[in-house]
Amino acid sequence: MEQTPGKRVYLEPVVSGAVGAAFIILLFSSPIIIPIGLSQGDRRFTCYRLDQDTVNCEVVFQPLLPLPKQIEFYYDVRGAGTKTEIQTLRNSEGDEITYKAYYVTLITPAGETKAWSTASESKARQLATKIQSFRMSAESQLLVAGDGDGFVLEDFLGVAALAPAGVGVLSLILALSRKRRRLTFDRSLNQILVEYLTPFGVRGRKTYSFRDVQQVVVERSTDSDGDSYFSVKVELASGEPLLHLSFDSDNGKARAEAEQLGQLLGCPVRLPEATS
């Protein structure tokens, strides 16, 4: 944890053994893993307003593997729609799997282009409507979808088709995709930056304003042996816990951490005596 008077950074602990086990599996399964890994990563679909009548969009794909990001640009977007296609995939045994693929399309001077795949027709319509509303608004930027909103059915079917090669393949992908968080509380920006980390770098970010925080709470709990331990929670106004720190039986450290966080955030601190 990094600490300065105006900034505090917290890093969630690593899940012990998860990454090591993943790389052992990778050693024996690399001929199978690599084609799948190339299609795994974060996708983000964003539209920008250049002026009152001009909207551009881009789709960014950051692979899970340490490879350069891919960016597709769509210039002068005139509208958005949906498209459904019947597609066929052949598995490792040579059997054909037929499925429906759903897309959000963008209409530009170059024509209509498939820009984003979704899990359902209703989701595609929802995103297309979102883009159409943005075009008619005065907003400067729109995050259409990202951080799991994208859906590439071929990726899922490809993994399923490789099931005879062993459950270890899927376990590796899940292990490498496991995210832990780094939270930066920055008073100069009055902002909390939440970054989702993997062995290959940052795979998603969220930001909160200091105004979104309701309070900092110190809680006392008791284990089965009757021993007390303490935790510090940063709670949002929505009731969602943003940060949870454990301090074992050291009440003094928990209190000090909570008070420093409360002072940084400018929010109330609730100590164990005030809890029932």
Side-chain angles (χ1 to χ4, degrees):
M1 181 184 69
E2 176 187 333
Q3 299 183 33
T4 67
K7 180 182 289 188
R8 300 180 75 81
V9 180
Y10 300 87
L11 186 63
E12 289 182 337
V14 178
V15 179
S16 178
V19 176
F23 279 99
I24 291 174
I25 298 171
L26 177 61
L27 180 64
F28 294 99
S29 308
S30 57
I32 298 171
I33 291 294
I34 290 174
I36 300 175
L38 292 174
S39 65
Q40 303 300 310
D42 277 343
R43 293 175 174 83
R44 187 169 291 266
F45 185 5
T46 310
C47 293
Y48 305 89
R49 183 179 307 281
L50 299 184
D51 55 47
Q52 184 175 357
D53 301 316
T54 307
V55 170
N56 291 346
C57 297
E58 68 177 24
V59 173
V60 178
F61 172 56
Q62 178 62 66
L64 174 63
L65 297 177
L67 295 172
K69 67 173 59 176
Q70 305 165 18
I71 306 178
E72 295 180 85
F73 293 100
Y74 304 91
Y75 299 103
D76 194 8
V77 174
R78 310 281 178 85
T82 65
K83 187 172 186 177
T84 302
E85 292 182 349
I86 304 296
Q87 298 189 359
T88 301
L89 179 72
R90 191 178 298 275
N91 65 17
S92 59
E93 297 178 352
D95 299 326
E96 289 189 349
I97 303 172
T98 301
Y99 62 94
K100 286 185 177 181
Y102 307 99
Y103 298 96
V104 176
T105 61
L106 295 178
I107 301 169
T108 69
E112 186 176 22
T113 308
K114 293 184 294 186
W116 191 259
S117 59
T118 67
S120 67
E121 186 176 11
S122 62
K123 183 65 174 179
R125 285 199 303 267
Q126 177 187 341
L127 296 183
T129 301
K130 193 176 179 182
I131 297 169
Q132 293 284 60
S133 298
F134 171 71
R135 288 189 65 253
M136 303 301 294
S137 73
E139 298 295 324
S140 61
Q141 182 173 325
L142 169 70
L143 174 61
V144 181
D147 292 337
D149 289 332
F151 183 84
V152 182
L153 189 56
E154 294 92 332
D155 294 349
F156 170 76
L157 293 174
V159 174
L162 289 172
V167 178
V169 174
L170 183 58
S171 300
L172 174 62
I173 294 173
L174 294 176
L176 292 180
S177 300
R178 183 183 296 275
K179 298 178 182 178
R180 63 181 187 136
R181 300 184 308 160
R182 180 170 59 209
L183 295 93
T184 302
F185 294 73
D186 192 336
R187 184 162 57 193
S188 66
L189 300 173
N190 283 324
Q191 176 181 282
I192 305 164
L193 172 64
V194 182
E195 299 172 287
Y196 297 89
L197 310 180
T198 74
F200 300 117
V202 178
R203 291 189 57 215
R205 294 179 175 87
K206 288 184 180 179
T207 57
Y208 299 90
S209 167
F210 279 10
R211 293 189 300 270
D212 296 330
V213 177
Q214 180 180 29
Q215 62 182 352
V216 178
V217 180
V218 179
E219 293 184 346
R220 177 194 289 115
S221 303
T222 306
D223 61 21
S224 57
D225 296 325
D227 297 325
S228 294
Y229 60 95
F230 296 87
S231 60
V232 174
K233 294 182 180 179
V234 175
E235 293 184 349
L236 298 175
S238 63
E240 174 189 354
L242 182 63
L243 177 67
H244 187 167
L245 305 172
S246 296
F247 287 88
D248 297 327
S249 59
D250 196 332
N251 183 22
K253 284 186 178 180
R255 283 170 173 257
E257 189 66 40
E259 288 169 355
Q260 289 171 9
L261 269 170
Q263 183 177 4
L264 178 69
L265 292 164
C267 71
V269 176
R270 204 171 83 188
L271 299 174
E273 288 80 4
T275 62
S276 57

